Amino acid sequence: MKIALVGNPNSGKTTLFNELTGSTAKVGNWAGVTVDKKEGTYKKAKTPMDIIDLPGVYSLSPYTLEEVIARDYIVNEQPDAIINIVDATNLERNLYLTTQILETDIPVVIALNMMDVVKKTKDEINTKAIEQKLGVPVIEISALRGENIHELMNVVAALAKKREPLDIFSGTQLESSYRSLVDLFTKHNVKQPCFTASKVLENDEKILSFDEVKALQAEIEKITTLTEDNEALMADIRYGYIDEQLRSAIKKSKVLGEMST
Ligand code: BGO
């Protein structure tokens, strides 16, 4: 089983990777670039799992080398599962990446890290509510303290082969374009049609330049007009979704709530 670790910089990805792989870890480079590629094996499962640590990213946009490496790996290499490590002390920001990962059909477990810090601040996170809203397991961990790691990996081992992609577009002004693009890409066997549709709506030039997408340019233009405003509009839709769906699952302690306003 091939498992990819994906998360924001500073979410605790290296700490979790080291905890999972120990002395099996090997560091190389991603092909042709000087970005670290770390791989290792989690040996404590019934069947050992290959763990690959993708570069820390805030988004699956095409702007940084790290983002391109992460998303090319997810779309082209199709890992068996993704562990999306999320910093629980900075949930809304981290979930921006999560919504993009969930637009693929790859099985995902969210590892809600830094729970030792959250418990100290007395913030409340309703993990079950997040699971229900996002449709994937959410496991509270502390990578630093090695807490709940085995439970996390048991859940990873039990994941199904495919997952319904997340749909953040219901009721938004891009809903009908999104649905038409998904239909178009599905019909033409484009990889990860939902993720690709969402990236096209972001006016993502790298995705638009892929041969399989470029070949459909005329049909895409019939469905939607892409402008420079699309990227900001998509960011609003993503944060709008996070806010609307997950507001009730996160309760900041008074002190922190007051500090953050
Ligand atoms: C420093 N709990 C807590 N409390 N901290 C954690 C946890 C957790 O579950 N997981 C990770 N950290 P990386 P990326 C540091 O390095 O794994 C901490 O970028 C410090 N360093 O220890 O590197 C972890 O790979 C000095 O903290 O993240 C690290 O994703 C003072 O989160 C940081 C304080 O973890 C980032 C912390 C010199």
Side-chain angles (χ1 to χ4, degrees), residues 8-15 113-114 116-117 142-144:
N8 284 190
N10 284 320
S11 58
K13 222 158 45 59
T14 308
T15 311
N113 192 33
M114 316 255 184
D116 54 306
V117 182
S142 168
L144 187 67

Side-chain angles (χ1 to χ4, degrees), residues 71-238:
R71 75 180 198 176
D72 282 358
Y73 185 87
I74 292 170
V75 173
N76 297 326
E77 301 293 323
Q78 286 262 355
D80 296 301
I82 291 173
I83 298 175
N84 173 208
I85 181 159
V86 162
D87 175 358
T89 66
N90 196 2
L91 204 47
E92 292 92 336
R93 177 76 179 91
N94 278 240
L95 289 174
Y96 188 75
L97 173 67
T98 305
T99 58
Q100 297 174 62
I101 296 168
L102 292 180
E103 284 173 337
T104 69
D105 63 6
I106 301 167
V108 174
V109 175
I110 294 177
L112 204 53
N113 192 33
M114 316 255 184
M115 284 306 293
D116 54 306
V117 182
V118 171
K119 282 171 190 158
K120 274 191 205 145
T121 61
K122 298 199 170 53
D123 285 358
E124 284 173 34
I125 299 178
N126 185 341
T127 306
K128 289 285 157 223
I130 302 176
E131 272 190 357
Q132 208 181 14
K133 297 285 185 191
L134 297 180
V136 294
V138 179
I139 310 296
E140 296 182 2
I141 66 164
S142 168
L144 187 67
R145 296 184 175 187
E147 283 170 4
N148 250 6
I149 306 300
H150 196 55
E151 180 183 336
L152 168 70
M153 297 314 281
N154 281 342
V155 172
V156 171
L159 284 174
K161 288 253 172 286
K162 285 266 159 84
R163 187 180 48 75
E164 273 304 306
L166 182 73
D167 178 357
I168 62 167
F169 290 91
S170 291
T172 68
Q173 60 177 292
L174 293 181
E175 180 173 8
S176 80
S177 304
Y178 171 74
R179 306 224 180 289
S180 303
L181 288 174
V182 172
D183 288 347
L184 176 70
F185 295 148
T186 305
K187 196 170 109 197
H188 290 271
N189 294 319
V190 173
K191 275 187 208 154
Q192 297 295 354
C194 299
F195 177 79
T196 306
S198 166
K199 287 291 159 200
V200 164
L201 288 172
E202 251 175 56
N203 204 8
D204 180 320
E205 53 193 47
K206 191 153 190 292
I207 291 266
L208 286 163
S209 71
F210 283 173
D211 288 347
E212 53 184 5
V213 176
K214 224 171 163 182
L216 299 169
Q217 192 177 341
E219 286 176 76
I220 293 171
E221 279 169 11
K222 274 188 226 154
I223 292 170
T224 184
T225 308
L226 299 169
T227 71
E228 280 178 4
D229 295 339
N230 272 62
E231 194 174 1
L233 179 57
M234 277 294 302
D236 283 351
I237 289 175
R238 253 181 229 297

